[in-house]
């Protein structure tokens, strides 16, 4: 058994984005491609000491197992002496974050393209998390990118593939490999944060029915252990709970479009009381009640207003944070509680410093992601358990919880319109066109809406003072309404334009209105400002959430 040094050539590639590198499977399967990128990660990290632990796992999509075998052999060749791998090669993103923190690992490598589809013709991805359990900071991903442009060789330890299915230890040369059960660990952790007795009683009453859609992705085994085994929910609570390499052919994206099976059940006759779904790698969540969809922004606000009732959070909130395009619903709660509310750029990595510095307890994004200081990633099942715990405590249906919240804090009508796979040059031109207008628009009126300010969002991290520029164009109106434009950093084909629309309504008499209708004037202003149709050739968004 020996280490092979394999000559390769630099590959000038795109910078790893907010959540690692995402490409088509075919791209990752090209000779040396995955290896090059992984070697660049190892070259950028400090050289591992004997005690340093590396954790590897993925969301189970096509190419997961093969990639793990390659990365394992490269990790050994690069000096790792202790490696942990999730059983069957599976680890959800939040479970990875929890495991890194529990084992005090040096870092973790997650194979996932999150909510993007899987299969030989679909997407694959690789991201790496650091010792705090969170995504690598920009300085590090930039350094990896620089390494990809200089790489000359990679290292591979020669051995047969190992068995990823049986728990236990394997010794390869000087390296100890452990196949670990992350499901039990994660379930124990959740049990410590939430009142499982109260939730178990809720299911036992027979008066409460829920559906959880794992979308054939990684949370299936975790949901089975937690919801069925520990909380006593009936078996038919779970939909699509067996992980599949192609996620059953769907997009494992828990939103109104892609989780339509679940949505139809919750809005149909004999709808259950509660519905939830999570994405490919388990960090996203969607929350539904009978005949109601809770926007992720509202979900964050409800969590902030109620968190002190939960066992794991009895000391309340130190502060909260939301990504810039997320609605300002949580700001109202923070204001009433007298705690700080931070506004960060899109992407979970910007919450890391705030969490590490204990400036915030809770944070979230409009893109179906919420989480807390328990780990350094957003956490899908955690959010589901949060809501279950809340329902068990308040003994109220979701609709009632929302109505009460809106009566107290006002309602933020909110929607995101995505234009997917548009021509990249056209998308860039649209953004440039908007940027050119920023200086001259303030004070201008669009029908009833008067523009108060607009800018290209720039964030200064309050902990390390690092500056992140060009994080999205904000148009803020005098009544509190906002329109935000930004380009996605996670797509694998063309560009995706995201238009975020938000309107505040304080009057409870008007809280029953339909969202898209309520936002119609803003939708029109967005078109007027950005000339979306002219630039992209599209007369409507591809996804509305
Ligand atoms: C999207 C979301 C963003 C999220 C990111 C990763 O990014 O908008 O809020 O943090 O996905 O989520 P973008 O650049 O495409 O808008 V996940 O579940 O892929 O880790
Ligand atoms: Co995800």
């Amino acid at each position: 058994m020996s280490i092979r040094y394999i000559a390769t050539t630099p590959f000038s590639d795109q910078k790893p984005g907010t959540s690692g590198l995402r490409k088509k499977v075919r791209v990752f399967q090209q000779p040396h491609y995955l290896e090059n990128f992984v070697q660049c990660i190892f070259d950028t990290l400090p050289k591992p000491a004997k005690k340093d632990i590396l954790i590897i796992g993925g969301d189970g999509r096509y190419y997961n197992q093969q990639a793990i075998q390659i990365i394992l052999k490269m990790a050994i060749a690069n000096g790792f002496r202790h490696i942990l791998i999730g059983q069957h090669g599976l680890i959800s993103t939040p479970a990875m974050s929890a495991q890194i923190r529990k084992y005090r690992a040096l870092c973790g490598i997650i194979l996932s393209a999150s909510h993007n589809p899987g299969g030989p013709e679909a997407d694959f991805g690789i991201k790496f998390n650091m010792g705090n359990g969170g995504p690598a900071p920009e300085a590090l991903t930039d350094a990896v990118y620089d390494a990809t442009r200089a790489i000359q060789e990679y290292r591979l330890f020669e051995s047969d593939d190992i068995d990823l299915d049986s728990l236990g230890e394997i010794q390869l040369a000087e390296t100890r490999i452990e196949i670990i059960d992350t499901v039990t660990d994660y379930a124990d952790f959740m049990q410590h944060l939430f009142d499982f007795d109260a939730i178990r009683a809720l299911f036992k009453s027979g008066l409460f029915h829920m559906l959880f859609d794992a979308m054939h992705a990684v949370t299936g085994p975790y949901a089975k252990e937690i919801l069925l085994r520990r909380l006593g929910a009936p078996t038919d609570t779970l939909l699509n709970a067996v992980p599949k390499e192609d996620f059953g052919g769907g997009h494992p994206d828990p939103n109104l479009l892609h989780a339509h099976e679940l949505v139809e059940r919750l809005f149909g006759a004999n709808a259950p009381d509660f519905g939830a779904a999570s994405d490919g790698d388990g960090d996203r969540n969607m929350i539904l009640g009978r005949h109601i969809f809770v926007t992720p922004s509202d979900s964050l606000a409800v969590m902030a207003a109620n968190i002190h009732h939960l066992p794991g959070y009895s000391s309340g909130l130190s502060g909260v944070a939301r990504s810039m395009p997320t609605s300002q619903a949580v700001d109202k709660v923070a204001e009433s509680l007298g705690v700080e509310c931070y506004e960060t750029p899109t992407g979970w990595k910007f919450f890391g410093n705030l969490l590490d510095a204990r400036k915030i307890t809770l944070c979230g994004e409009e893109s179906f992601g919420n989480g807390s200081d328990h780990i350094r990633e957003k956490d899908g099942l955690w959010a589901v358990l949060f809501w279950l715990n809340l329902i068990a405590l308040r003994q109220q249906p979701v609709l009632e919880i929302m109505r009460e919240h809106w009566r107290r804090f006002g309602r933020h009508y909110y929607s995101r319109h995505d234009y997917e796979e548009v021509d990249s040059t056209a998308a860039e031109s649209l953004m440039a066109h908007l940027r050119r207008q920023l200086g001259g628009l303030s004070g201008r009126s669009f029908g009833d809406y008067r523009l108060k300010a607009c800018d290209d969002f720039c964030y200064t991290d309050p902990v390390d003072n690092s500056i992140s520029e060009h994080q999205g164009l904000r148009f803020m109106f005098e009544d509190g309404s906002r329109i935000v434009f930004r380009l996605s950093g996670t797509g694998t084909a063309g560009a995706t334009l995201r238009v975020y629309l938000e309107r505040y309504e304080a009057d409870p008499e008007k809280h029953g209105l339909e969202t898209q209708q309520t936002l119609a004037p803003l939708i029109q202003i967005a078109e007027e400002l950005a000339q979306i149709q002219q630039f992209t050739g599209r007369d409507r968004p591809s996804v509305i959430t």
Side-chain angles (χ1 to χ4, degrees):
M1 291 197 278
S2 64
I3 293 170
R4 275 173 63 202
Y5 293 81
I6 298 162
T8 184
T9 42
F11 66 119
S12 167
D13 216 304
Q14 82 199 49
K15 282 193 182 186
T18 48
S19 28
L21 187 69
R22 281 185 202 171
K23 296 275 174 192
K24 294 285 171 205
V25 168
R26 296 268 179 249
V27 175
F28 272 103
Q29 284 174 325
Q30 294 171 89
H32 308 319
Y33 191 94
L34 173 79
E35 291 85 345
N36 275 345
F37 188 67
V38 172
Q39 186 63 50
C40 292
I41 297 176
F42 290 144
D43 286 344
T44 307
L45 291 172
K47 206 176 144 33
K50 192 160 184 290
K51 61 165 192 12
D52 283 335
I53 296 175
L54 169 71
I55 312 183
I56 313 172
D59 65 8
R61 68 180 58 229
Y62 183 83
Y63 204 51
N64 188 46
Q65 302 253 351
Q66 296 92 314
I68 289 177
Q69 300 285 359
I70 294 171
I71 296 169
L72 169 68
K73 291 169 199 173
M74 291 186 64
I76 298 172
N78 279 279
F80 279 95
R81 295 295 167 254
H82 194 177
I83 299 171
L84 311 182
I85 304 177
Q87 189 180 22
H88 313 300
L90 298 177
I91 305 185
S92 76
T93 290
M96 173 64 91
S97 188
Q99 297 288 1
I100 292 176
R101 293 167 71 81
K102 176 181 163 178
Y103 290 104
R104 299 177 190 280
L106 183 72
C107 76
I109 295 183
I110 306 172
L111 293 322
S112 171
S114 191
H115 52 286
N116 295 17
E121 302 305 327
D123 297 347
F124 194 73
I126 173 163
K127 53 182 176 178
F128 51 108
N129 284 23
M130 307 313 294
N132 71 345
E138 209 155 84
L140 205 91
T141 51
D142 284 354
V144 171
Y145 175 62
D146 292 341
T148 63
R149 293 150 68 93
I151 185 168
Q152 299 290 344
E153 69 175 19
Y154 64 86
R155 271 162 256 166
L156 194 70
F157 177 77
E158 285 194 310
S159 95
D160 292 335
D161 284 355
I162 65 159
D163 169 15
L164 299 176
D165 297 328
S166 322
L167 294 173
E169 281 190 30
I170 301 164
Q171 186 77 27
L172 273 183
E174 288 163 58
T175 301
R176 179 153 64 101
I177 301 153
E178 285 179 69
I179 306 298
I180 56 170
D181 172 8
T182 70
V183 172
T184 301
D185 264 357
Y186 179 81
D188 289 347
F189 193 18
M190 292 299 120
Q191 192 152 2
H192 163 82
L193 293 176
F194 299 111
D195 186 347
F196 272 32
D197 290 337
I199 304 174
R200 205 178 298 113
L202 186 67
F203 283 119
K204 209 169 171 214
S205 72
L207 300 170
F208 175 81
H209 297 281
M210 87 168 269
L211 286 175
F212 177 76
D213 189 348
M215 304 193 83
H216 288 304
V218 77
T219 51
Y222 296 88
K224 221 178 246 175
E225 171 66 20
I226 295 172
L227 297 175
L228 303 195
R229 226 183 60 78
R230 300 201 185 193
L231 293 170
T235 319
D236 60 6
T237 300
L238 300 188
L239 303 174
N240 307 317
V242 179
K244 291 191 178 160
E245 286 198 330
D246 67 347
F247 307 118
H251 277 246
D253 194 355
N255 63 32
L256 296 174
L257 180 71
H258 296 302
H260 56 89
E261 184 186 353
L262 179 73
V263 174
E264 277 151 29
R265 295 277 292 272
L266 267 294
F267 282 88
N270 297 320
D273 302 279
F274 182 60
S278 60
D279 73 332
D281 62 331
D283 56 358
R284 295 186 176 206
N285 74 90
M286 175 166 68
I287 300 294
L288 301 155
R290 179 184 292 139
H291 301 169
I292 179 173
F293 159 60
V294 180
T295 69
S297 300
D298 273 348
S299 178
L300 179 65
V302 168
M303 285 177 168
N306 292 281
I307 196 166
H308 56 284
H309 295 305
L310 307 189
Y313 302 92
S314 51
S315 49
L317 285 180
S318 60
V320 289
R322 62 163 171 83
S323 69
M324 183 273 279
T326 303
S327 100
Q328 300 160 96
V330 74
D331 303 37
K332 295 270 178 205
V333 179
E335 196 187 321
S336 94
L337 292 171
V339 301
E340 192 70 40
C341 177
Y342 298 87
E343 184 174 40
T344 59
T346 293
W348 207 260
K349 66 183 173 194
F350 293 101
F351 295 134
N353 277 349
L354 297 170
L355 290 164
D356 285 346
R358 298 178 178 276
K359 286 184 182 295
I360 59 169
T361 310
L362 185 72
C363 46
E365 295 192 272
E366 51 64 42
S367 54
F368 298 83
N370 310 106
S372 83
D373 57 1
H374 70 294
I375 53 170
R376 295 296 179 270
E377 287 278 4
K378 53 188 182 262
D379 193 340
L381 272 169
W382 170 90
V384 176
L385 291 166
F386 193 119
W387 271 90
L388 280 172
N389 200 155
L390 190 62
I391 294 166
L393 279 176
R394 296 191 29 173
Q395 297 285 323
Q396 280 175 309
V398 176
L399 187 62
E400 212 26 65
I401 293 177
M402 284 321 303
R403 282 194 179 140
E404 261 188 49
H405 185 91
W406 292 332
R407 270 200 294 275
R408 202 169 145 206
F409 298 102
R411 178 169 180 185
H412 290 77
Y413 284 92
Y414 187 84
S415 180
R416 185 175 103 184
H417 290 196
D418 292 332
Y419 297 78
E420 295 179 325
E421 297 192 23
V422 303
D423 178 72
S424 299
T425 320
E428 292 294 346
S429 314
L430 179 151
M431 292 299 280
H433 164 76
L434 276 171
R435 240 178 232 120
R436 276 196 298 276
Q437 299 176 65
L438 289 177
L441 282 177
S442 284
R444 212 183 115 183
S445 288
F446 298 80
D448 298 340
Y449 292 83
R450 210 175 130 85
L451 198 64
K452 195 166 119 192
C454 50
D455 66 1
D456 190 346
F457 184 57
C458 173
Y459 178 67
T460 305
D461 187 299
V463 180
D464 64 16
N465 294 316
S466 60
I467 293 174
S468 304
E469 290 180 290
H470 308 301
Q471 297 296 324
L473 305 177
R474 297 193 286 188
F475 295 83
M476 296 165 278
F477 297 87
E478 273 175 357
D479 69 340
S481 297
R482 292 195 312 168
I483 304 174
V484 173
F485 299 88
R486 59 177 284 280
L487 298 183
S488 156
T490 59
T492 55
T496 294
L497 169 69
R498 304 204 195 283
V499 184
Y500 308 83
L501 305 141
E502 170 183 357
R503 204 198 111 190
Y504 179 63
E505 179 57 73
D507 180 1
E509 294 295 313
K510 296 184 185 153
H511 287 170
L513 304 174
E514 204 277 323
T515 300
Q516 298 303 320
Q517 220 171 322
T518 309
L519 295 172
L522 289 166
I523 295 170
Q524 213 177 332
I525 297 170
E527 172 61 35
E528 194 178 321
L529 286 168
Q531 302 286 308
I532 302 171
Q533 193 161 350
Q534 193 195 315
F535 278 103
T536 67
R538 306 283 177 84
D539 60 358
R540 70 186 62 138
S542 24
V543 183
I544 296 180
T545 47

